[in-house]
Amino acid sequence: AYLSRIEQVDGNVRAFNSYDHDDALRQADASDTRRREERAMGPLDGIPVALKDVIAVKDQPLTASSKMLKDFVSPYDSHVTELLKRQGAVLFGRLNLDEFAMGSSTENSGFQRTCNPWDLERIPGGSSGGSAAAIAACEAPLTLGSDTGGSIRQPAALCGVVGMKPTYGLVSRYGLIAFASSLDQIGPFAQTVEDAAILLQGIVGHDRRDSTSIKMAVPDYRAALKTDKKWRLGVPKEYFGEGLDAEVRAAVEAAIKTYEGLGHEIVEVSLPTTDLAVPVYYILAPAEASSNLSRYDGIRYGHRSSNAADAIDVYYKSRAEGFGPEVKRRIILGSYVLSSGYYDAYYLKAQKARTIIRNDFNSAFEQCDALLTPTAPTAAFKAGEKTNDPLSMYLSDIFTINVNLAGLPGVSVPCGFTSTGLPIGLQIIGKAFEEAEMLAIAHAYE
Ligand code: GLN
């Protein structure tokens, strides 16, 4: 059913970079056999899960939507892939993104522009735009994305679906193409919080191949959704200031009222470092990216220029031809802030600011169980509207970035529509490793 839906609509939506029709059916048949023989391997057995094209699946393309990796096929499985295979999920497609996950609109893809299913002239958000659009267009029941500064939550908001970023360290990054390693996390997209909880359950767990992967007893996320608990929910006043679209504000305020009506306590809190998000992130993330992307040298793998004169020229030309403009901008920015003489002034200072941002959240969480905010300052914008203005594009992540800098979990749930029928997202930010509670809070609203 999903394959025929893709054939029907993906010519317009363009969420998928590629998918293998026959292989998907083979996996589904194997699952049917298991079910007939009563050997099903849990709730994900036979369920199609499509992956952002930065998560490795052995023998499937792995492109990061970059010309650099256009013909690359993964020789191994990521940790989450291994887990999902073991649970019988049908891993069947590669979803479009901003090249190397750098962007907020999926317009930076080296291959194609994904369209927002609610209005094809608009962007689906990014960088996991394909993962969000595929859910919104019913091309897959579950997808995975990655979130470094908002790349799961912001496209989820703009496409009217649920998207969740786990606490840093909960999901292994082994086999995820690295963008900014201290911020990257893999997380689920779904139509409902319950579906997202089921997929989250399927991908968490300690992995010794990721040194930041945490060892902890994993709760039953789905069971935890059913609770009568009343929470104290914090509303950070800095998230409702200038730059927030009036209709987004109204929808989020209405959602907060709904919580109040359900008997939860609403308290105003303050996160004074909110405005540090963009400057701090755009020093740290490019710094890490410039280091991570140094591996694409035209020698080991990926695109190799065919008209290079010598070894040095192979590096220069392969990278010049393989990377798109936004990736180059980040590498240049990152190399600059890491270079001697500027390191202390920019990189080190940003690291210190990051600690202050984290402390800010800690203080806020002394007063409440979770935070309620808008996910993005506006609904989906028109394709092309911000492509010539990187700074205004960067600002679409002002409400999501600090969550990554603090390593916290966040989820975006649909909370209404603009007058022109575009979806709006409510962001719920939880305490570190308190995904069960955060999802229960999201589920209570839903
Ligand atoms: N939009 C942000 C960026 O361009 C975040 C991307 C992400 O979370 N991968 O870096």
CSV table of all heavy atoms in Angstrom, one decimal, residues 52 98 100-105 108 126-128 146-154 179-180 183-184 281-282 285-286 326 330 393-394 396-397 400-401 404, ligand 1:
chain,number,residue,atom,x,y,z
A,52,LYS,N,16.2,8.7,6.8
A,52,LYS,CA,16.9,9.9,6.2
A,52,LYS,C,18.2,9.4,5.6
A,52,LYS,O,18.8,8.5,6.2
A,52,LYS,CB,17.2,10.8,7.4
A,52,LYS,CG,17.8,12.2,7.0
A,52,LYS,CD,18.0,13.0,8.2
A,52,LYS,CE,18.5,14.4,7.9
A,52,LYS,NZ,18.7,15.3,9.1
A,98,ASP,N,18.6,18.3,3.5
A,98,ASP,CA,19.6,19.3,3.1
A,98,ASP,C,21.0,18.6,3.1
A,98,ASP,O,21.3,17.9,4.1
A,98,ASP,CB,19.7,20.5,4.2
A,98,ASP,CG,18.5,21.4,4.1
A,98,ASP,OD1,18.3,22.1,3.0
A,98,ASP,OD2,17.7,21.4,5.0
A,100,PHE,N,24.2,17.0,3.8
A,100,PHE,CA,24.9,16.8,5.1
A,100,PHE,C,24.1,17.3,6.3
A,100,PHE,O,24.7,17.7,7.3
A,100,PHE,CB,26.3,17.3,5.0
A,100,PHE,CG,27.3,16.4,4.3
A,100,PHE,CD1,27.7,16.7,3.0
A,100,PHE,CD2,27.7,15.2,4.8
A,100,PHE,CE1,28.5,15.9,2.2
A,100,PHE,CE2,28.5,14.3,4.0
A,100,PHE,CZ,28.9,14.7,2.8
A,101,ALA,N,22.8,17.4,6.1
A,101,ALA,CA,21.9,17.9,7.2
A,101,ALA,C,22.1,19.4,7.5
A,101,ALA,O,21.8,19.8,8.6
A,101,ALA,CB,22.0,17.0,8.4
A,102,MET,N,22.7,20.2,6.6
A,102,MET,CA,22.9,21.6,6.9
A,102,MET,C,21.8,22.4,6.2
A,102,MET,O,21.9,22.7,5.0
A,102,MET,CB,24.3,22.0,6.4
A,102,MET,CG,25.4,21.2,7.1
A,102,MET,SD,27.0,21.6,6.4
A,102,MET,CE,28.0,20.3,7.2
A,103,GLY,N,20.8,22.8,7.0
A,103,GLY,CA,19.8,23.6,6.4
A,103,GLY,C,18.5,23.5,7.2
A,103,GLY,O,18.4,22.7,8.1
A,104,SER,N,17.5,24.3,6.8
A,104,SER,CA,16.2,24.3,7.5
A,104,SER,C,15.1,24.2,6.5
A,104,SER,O,13.9,24.5,6.8
A,104,SER,CB,16.1,25.6,8.3
A,104,SER,OG,17.2,25.7,9.1
A,105,SER,N,15.3,23.8,5.2
A,105,SER,CA,14.3,23.8,4.2
A,105,SER,C,14.3,22.7,3.2
A,105,SER,O,13.5,22.6,2.4
A,105,SER,CB,14.3,25.2,3.5
A,105,SER,OG,15.5,25.3,2.7
A,108,ASN,N,18.8,22.8,0.3
A,108,ASN,CA,20.2,22.6,0.1
A,108,ASN,C,20.5,21.2,-0.4
A,108,ASN,O,21.7,20.9,-0.5
A,108,ASN,CB,21.0,22.9,1.4
A,108,ASN,CG,20.9,24.3,1.8
A,108,ASN,OD1,20.6,25.2,1.0
A,108,ASN,ND2,21.1,24.6,3.1
A,126,GLY,N,13.5,21.6,7.4
A,126,GLY,CA,14.7,20.7,7.2
A,126,GLY,C,15.6,20.7,8.4
A,126,GLY,O,15.2,21.3,9.4
A,127,SER,N,16.6,19.9,8.5
A,127,SER,CA,17.1,19.2,7.3
A,127,SER,C,16.4,17.9,7.0
A,127,SER,O,16.5,17.5,5.8
A,127,SER,CB,18.6,19.0,7.4
A,127,SER,OG,18.8,18.1,8.5
A,128,SER,N,15.6,17.3,7.9
A,128,SER,CA,15.0,16.1,7.6
A,128,SER,C,13.7,16.3,6.9
A,128,SER,O,12.6,15.7,7.3
A,128,SER,CB,14.7,15.3,8.9
A,128,SER,OG,15.9,15.3,9.8
A,146,SER,N,17.5,13.0,11.7
A,146,SER,CA,18.5,13.3,12.6
A,146,SER,C,18.4,14.8,13.0
A,146,SER,O,17.9,15.6,12.1
A,146,SER,CB,19.9,13.0,12.1
A,146,SER,OG,20.2,13.9,11.0
A,147,ASP,N,18.7,15.1,14.2
A,147,ASP,CA,18.5,16.5,14.7
A,147,ASP,C,19.8,17.0,15.3
A,147,ASP,O,20.2,16.5,16.3
A,147,ASP,CB,17.3,16.4,15.7
A,147,ASP,CG,16.8,17.8,16.1
A,147,ASP,OD1,17.6,18.6,16.4
A,147,ASP,OD2,15.5,17.9,16.2
A,148,THR,N,20.3,18.0,14.8
A,148,THR,CA,21.6,18.6,15.2
A,148,THR,C,21.3,20.0,15.8
A,148,THR,O,21.9,20.5,16.8
A,148,THR,CB,22.6,18.8,14.1
A,148,THR,OG1,22.7,17.5,13.5
A,148,THR,CG2,23.9,19.3,14.5
A,149,GLY,N,20.2,20.7,15.2
A,149,GLY,CA,19.8,22.0,15.7
A,149,GLY,C,18.4,22.2,15.6
A,149,GLY,O,17.9,23.3,15.7
A,150,GLY,N,17.6,21.1,15.3
A,150,GLY,CA,16.2,21.3,15.1
A,150,GLY,C,15.7,20.5,13.9
A,150,GLY,O,14.5,20.5,13.6
A,151,SER,N,16.5,19.8,13.3
A,151,SER,CA,16.2,19.1,12.0
A,151,SER,C,15.2,18.0,12.0
A,151,SER,O,14.7,17.6,11.0
A,151,SER,CB,17.5,18.5,11.4
A,151,SER,OG,18.2,19.6,10.7
A,152,ILE,N,14.8,17.6,13.2
A,152,ILE,CA,13.6,16.7,13.3
A,152,ILE,C,12.4,17.5,13.7
A,152,ILE,O,11.3,17.4,13.0
A,152,ILE,CB,13.8,15.6,14.3
A,152,ILE,CG1,14.9,14.6,13.8
A,152,ILE,CG2,12.5,14.8,14.6
A,152,ILE,CD1,15.2,13.5,14.8
A,153,ARG,N,12.5,18.3,14.7
A,153,ARG,CA,11.3,19.0,15.2
A,153,ARG,C,10.8,20.1,14.3
A,153,ARG,O,9.6,20.2,14.1
A,153,ARG,CB,11.7,19.6,16.6
A,153,ARG,CG,11.9,18.6,17.7
A,153,ARG,CD,12.8,19.1,18.8
A,153,ARG,NE,14.2,19.3,18.4
A,153,ARG,CZ,15.1,20.1,18.9
A,153,ARG,NH1,14.7,20.9,19.9
A,153,ARG,NH2,16.3,20.2,18.4
A,154,GLN,N,11.7,20.9,13.7
A,154,GLN,CA,11.2,22.0,12.8
A,154,GLN,C,10.4,21.4,11.6
A,154,GLN,O,9.3,21.9,11.3
A,154,GLN,CB,12.4,22.9,12.5
A,154,GLN,CG,12.0,24.1,11.7
A,154,GLN,CD,12.4,23.9,10.2
A,154,GLN,OE1,12.5,22.8,9.7
A,154,GLN,NE2,12.5,25.0,9.5
A,179,PHE,N,27.6,15.2,11.3
A,179,PHE,CA,27.6,16.6,11.0
A,179,PHE,C,28.3,17.3,12.1
A,179,PHE,O,29.5,17.8,12.0
A,179,PHE,CB,26.2,17.1,10.7
A,179,PHE,CG,25.9,18.5,10.8
A,179,PHE,CD1,26.9,19.5,10.7
A,179,PHE,CD2,24.6,19.0,10.8
A,179,PHE,CE1,26.6,20.9,10.8
A,179,PHE,CE2,24.3,20.4,10.8
A,179,PHE,CZ,25.3,21.3,10.8
A,180,ALA,N,27.7,17.4,13.3
A,180,ALA,CA,28.3,18.0,14.5
A,180,ALA,C,28.1,17.0,15.6
A,180,ALA,O,27.1,16.9,16.2
A,180,ALA,CB,27.7,19.4,14.8
A,183,LEU,N,26.3,17.3,18.9
A,183,LEU,CA,24.9,17.7,18.9
A,183,LEU,C,23.9,16.7,18.2
A,183,LEU,O,22.7,16.6,18.5
A,183,LEU,CB,24.8,19.0,18.1
A,183,LEU,CG,25.6,20.2,18.7
A,183,LEU,CD1,25.8,21.3,17.6
A,183,LEU,CD2,24.9,20.8,19.9
A,184,ASP,N,24.5,15.9,17.3
A,184,ASP,CA,23.7,15.0,16.4
A,184,ASP,C,22.9,13.9,17.3
A,184,ASP,O,23.5,13.3,18.1
A,184,ASP,CB,24.5,14.2,15.4
A,184,ASP,CG,25.3,15.1,14.5
A,184,ASP,OD1,25.0,16.2,14.3
A,184,ASP,OD2,26.3,14.5,13.9
A,281,TYR,N,25.6,28.3,18.2
A,281,TYR,CA,25.4,27.1,17.4
A,281,TYR,C,26.2,27.3,16.1
A,281,TYR,O,26.9,26.4,15.6
A,281,TYR,CB,24.0,26.9,17.0
A,281,TYR,CG,23.7,25.8,16.1
A,281,TYR,CD1,23.6,24.5,16.5
A,281,TYR,CD2,23.6,26.0,14.7
A,281,TYR,CE1,23.3,23.4,15.6
A,281,TYR,CE2,23.3,25.0,13.8
A,281,TYR,CZ,23.2,23.7,14.2
A,281,TYR,OH,23.0,22.7,13.3
A,282,TYR,N,26.2,28.5,15.5
A,282,TYR,CA,26.8,28.7,14.2
A,282,TYR,C,28.3,28.9,14.3
A,282,TYR,O,29.0,29.2,13.4
A,282,TYR,CB,26.1,29.7,13.3
A,282,TYR,CG,24.9,29.1,12.7
A,282,TYR,CD1,23.7,29.2,13.3
A,282,TYR,CD2,25.1,28.3,11.6
A,282,TYR,CE1,22.6,28.5,12.7
A,282,TYR,CE2,24.0,27.6,11.0
A,282,TYR,CZ,22.8,27.7,11.6
A,282,TYR,OH,21.7,27.0,11.1
A,285,ALA,N,28.7,24.2,15.6
A,285,ALA,CA,28.3,23.2,14.6
A,285,ALA,C,29.2,23.3,13.4
A,285,ALA,O,29.8,22.2,12.9
A,285,ALA,CB,26.8,23.4,14.2
A,286,PRO,N,29.5,24.5,12.8
A,286,PRO,CA,30.5,24.5,11.7
A,286,PRO,C,31.9,24.0,12.1
A,286,PRO,O,32.6,23.4,11.3
A,286,PRO,CB,30.5,25.9,11.2
A,286,PRO,CG,29.1,26.5,11.7
A,286,PRO,CD,28.9,25.8,13.0
A,326,GLU,N,26.2,25.7,0.7
A,326,GLU,CA,26.0,25.8,2.1
A,326,GLU,C,27.1,25.0,2.9
A,326,GLU,O,27.6,25.4,3.9
A,326,GLU,CB,24.6,25.4,2.5
A,326,GLU,CG,24.3,25.5,4.0
A,326,GLU,CD,24.4,27.0,4.5
A,326,GLU,OE1,24.1,27.9,3.7
A,326,GLU,OE2,24.6,27.2,5.7
A,330,ARG,N,29.9,26.4,5.6
A,330,ARG,CA,30.1,25.9,6.9
A,330,ARG,C,31.5,25.5,7.2
A,330,ARG,O,32.1,25.7,8.2
A,330,ARG,CB,29.2,24.7,7.2
A,330,ARG,CG,27.7,24.9,7.0
A,330,ARG,CD,27.0,25.6,8.1
A,330,ARG,NE,25.6,25.8,7.8
A,330,ARG,CZ,24.6,25.2,8.4
A,330,ARG,NH1,24.8,24.4,9.4
A,330,ARG,NH2,23.4,25.5,8.1
A,393,MET,N,17.5,32.2,7.2
A,393,MET,CA,17.3,30.8,7.2
A,393,MET,C,17.7,30.2,8.6
A,393,MET,O,17.0,29.4,9.2
A,393,MET,CB,18.1,30.1,6.1
A,393,MET,CG,17.8,28.6,5.9
A,393,MET,SD,16.2,28.3,5.1
A,393,MET,CE,16.7,28.3,3.4
A,394,TYR,N,18.8,30.7,9.1
A,394,TYR,CA,19.4,30.2,10.4
A,394,TYR,C,18.4,30.5,11.5
A,394,TYR,O,18.3,29.8,12.5
A,394,TYR,CB,20.7,30.8,10.7
A,394,TYR,CG,21.9,30.4,9.8
A,394,TYR,CD1,23.1,31.1,9.8
A,394,TYR,CD2,21.7,29.4,8.8
A,394,TYR,CE1,24.1,30.7,9.0
A,394,TYR,CE2,22.7,29.1,7.9
A,394,TYR,CZ,23.9,29.8,8.0
A,394,TYR,OH,25.0,29.4,7.2
A,396,SER,N,15.3,30.3,11.6
A,396,SER,CA,14.1,29.4,11.7
A,396,SER,C,14.3,28.4,12.8
A,396,SER,O,13.4,27.6,13.1
A,396,SER,CB,13.7,28.8,10.4
A,396,SER,OG,14.8,28.4,9.6
A,397,ASP,N,15.6,28.3,13.3
A,397,ASP,CA,15.9,27.3,14.3
A,397,ASP,C,16.0,27.9,15.7
A,397,ASP,O,16.5,27.2,16.6
A,397,ASP,CB,17.1,26.5,14.0
A,397,ASP,CG,17.0,25.8,12.7
A,397,ASP,OD1,16.0,25.1,12.5
A,397,ASP,OD2,17.8,25.9,11.8
A,400,THR,N,14.7,25.7,18.6
A,400,THR,CA,15.1,24.3,18.7
A,400,THR,C,16.6,24.1,19.0
A,400,THR,O,17.0,23.1,19.6
A,400,THR,CB,14.8,23.6,17.4
A,400,THR,OG1,15.3,24.4,16.3
A,400,THR,CG2,13.3,23.4,17.2
A,401,ILE,N,17.5,25.1,18.6
A,401,ILE,CA,18.9,24.9,18.7
A,401,ILE,C,19.4,24.7,20.1
A,401,ILE,O,20.2,23.8,20.4
A,401,ILE,CB,19.6,26.1,18.1
A,401,ILE,CG1,19.6,26.0,16.6
A,401,ILE,CG2,21.0,26.3,18.6
A,401,ILE,CD1,20.2,27.3,15.9
A,404,ASN,N,19.5,21.3,21.6
A,404,ASN,CA,20.7,20.5,21.3
A,404,ASN,C,21.9,20.9,22.0
A,404,ASN,O,22.7,20.0,22.5
A,404,ASN,CB,21.0,20.6,19.8
A,404,ASN,CG,19.8,20.1,18.9
A,404,ASN,OD1,18.8,20.7,18.8
A,404,ASN,ND2,20.0,18.9,18.3
B,1,GLN,N1,19.1,24.1,10.5
B,1,GLN,C1,20.2,23.8,11.3
B,1,GLN,C2,21.4,23.9,10.5
B,1,GLN,O1,21.3,24.2,9.4
B,1,GLN,C3,20.0,22.5,12.0
B,1,GLN,C4,20.3,21.4,11.1
B,1,GLN,C5,20.1,20.0,11.8
B,1,GLN,O2,19.6,19.9,12.9
B,1,GLN,N2,20.7,19.0,11.2
B,1,GLN,O3,22.5,23.6,10.9
